[in-house]
Amino acid sequence: MPEKSPFVVDADWLQGQLGRPGLSIVDASWYLPAQNRDPKAEYDAAHIHGAIFFDQDLVVDPDSDLPHTLPKPSLFAQYVGSMGISADDTIVVYDGPGMFTAPRVWWMFRIMGAPEVFVLDGGFDNWKAAGRPVTSEPTKTAPNIFFTDFDASRVAGIDDVRKAIATGGSQIADARPPRRFSGEDPEPRKGVRGGHMPGAKSVPALSLSKNGYLLPVEALRRTLEHAGLDLDKPVITSCGSGITAAVITLALQSVGHGDNRLYDGSWTEWGGRGDTEVVTGKD
């Protein structure tokens, strides 16, 4: 059997763990407007037993004018503590199609200090398709205290990206679809230019999974290297607003690459400014 990422769990395992004390299940579904899916409505209609909905538009820094900016540790702790989650829990995160938005919340929990965090391989759509148990009943939880141990070294800001471009000290991996990377397709947010950062490598998030299942470790390594990444050197991951960049982060961590940071402002910040260099084309 091909080696699987140590950061994913399969549906058989999770179904066998349902109801176990110390297990927190998180529905982290989020969609682009073009996908025409309402994650909260879908959660209300059907979710895995015990799952809590994590609103990626709500659990953000309220003082930032960028979408999905990482909240301060104290605010993150307040949000997830109110969901009944402890940093000591075994936390399993899922989304609808699998390997789309769940890795962002996996990354958030990990950098906030939770050591046992996993992504459900295949996502909820495959869970339902297999006839596994779902419920529309609201999940009842008691508030908990989430003690954070924030690792700021896993987050990159715009100055870090400028330095990486100027010095070549870190590679930049962009998770957006190829035609947005090249500038052929417009960005979904108004006022954001098309294209990519100088020297960035195109690593589309969807290239790292198949039918919602993360590729095996060796296939992840081949895909990352084929995209032009040197896995012996540091990497900064990026995307549209910091969500699917975490799919690359998950892939990097899965192959044993530890020197990586996620650019939280991502392309919405970079492409929305007038003082940043933008490159178009496939390279």
Side-chain angles (χ1 to χ4, degrees):
M1 285 286 290
E3 181 187 359
K4 296 292 290 182
S5 166
F7 303 111
V8 302
V9 295
D10 63 30
D12 285 340
W13 180 89
L14 182 57
Q15 187 171 341
Q17 297 294 311
L18 294 180
R20 178 175 68 80
L23 174 69
S24 285
I25 305 173
V26 178
D27 184 330
S29 300
W30 179 87
Y31 300 104
L32 290 163
Q35 292 173 283
N36 198 30
R37 293 180 66 169
D38 183 332
K40 183 57 165 62
E42 290 189 18
Y43 169 84
D44 289 339
H47 52 266
I48 296 175
H49 289 261
I52 300 294
F53 184 72
F54 187 107
D55 191 334
Q56 297 210 51
D57 290 324
L58 178 65
V59 188
V60 297
D61 180 356
D63 298 324
S64 174
D65 58 359
L66 295 169
H68 308 129
T69 308
L70 191 70
K72 293 179 175 61
S74 58
L75 186 56
F76 181 86
Q78 179 182 328
Y79 279 127
V80 300
S82 70
M83 299 174 191
I85 302 173
S86 163
D88 296 327
D89 288 346
T90 297
I91 302 168
V92 178
V93 188
Y94 71 84
D95 59 39
M99 300 305 154
F100 180 53
T101 60
R104 166 72 182 197
V105 176
W106 165 85
W107 173 78
M108 291 173 75
F109 273 110
R110 282 175 54 84
I111 67 168
M112 291 294 180
E116 295 291 315
V117 193
F118 306 92
V119 178
L120 174 62
D121 214 12
F124 187 58
D125 292 349
N126 280 307
W127 177 282
K128 286 192 299 182
R132 297 182 185 274
V134 301
T135 183
S136 61
E137 291 295 318
T139 298
K140 297 179 181 179
T141 60
N144 213 328
I145 298 175
F146 188 98
F147 293 102
T148 59
D149 183 14
F150 179 51
D151 186 355
S153 70
R154 313 302 303 205
V155 186
I158 191 168
D159 289 340
D160 299 308
V161 177
R162 291 185 193 275
K163 182 178 179 181
I165 293 170
T167 67
S170 290
Q171 305 161 95
I172 300 169
D174 191 321
R176 291 174 300 149
R179 289 181 63 87
R180 283 175 60 192
F181 178 88
S182 67
E184 295 170 89
D185 285 350
E187 287 297 302
R189 295 178 177 88
K190 292 182 179 179
V192 178
R193 294 170 290 169
H196 56 271
M197 301 156 199
K201 305 297 184 183
S202 178
V203 189
L206 288 177
S207 70
L208 300 169
S209 64
K210 184 176 182 180
N211 300 323
Y213 295 88
L214 192 68
L215 296 178
V217 169
E218 283 307 313
L220 287 174
R221 183 175 285 110
R222 288 196 301 271
T223 301
L224 293 166
E225 290 178 340
H226 182 73
L229 293 180
D230 183 338
L231 297 179
D232 291 326
K233 295 181 179 179
V235 177
I236 294 174
T237 64
S238 181
C239 62
S241 64
I243 290 185
T244 58
V247 181
I248 306 178
T249 303
L250 173 62
L252 289 167
Q253 294 287 126
S254 297
V255 303
H257 185 283
D259 192 358
N260 53 77
R261 294 175 287 170
L262 189 151
Y263 175 25
D264 201 35
S266 278
W267 190 253
T268 301
E269 180 176 39
W270 189 273
R273 295 174 63 117
D275 61 348
T276 49
E277 184 178 356
V278 170
V279 178
T280 57
K282 296 181 179 179
D283 297 320

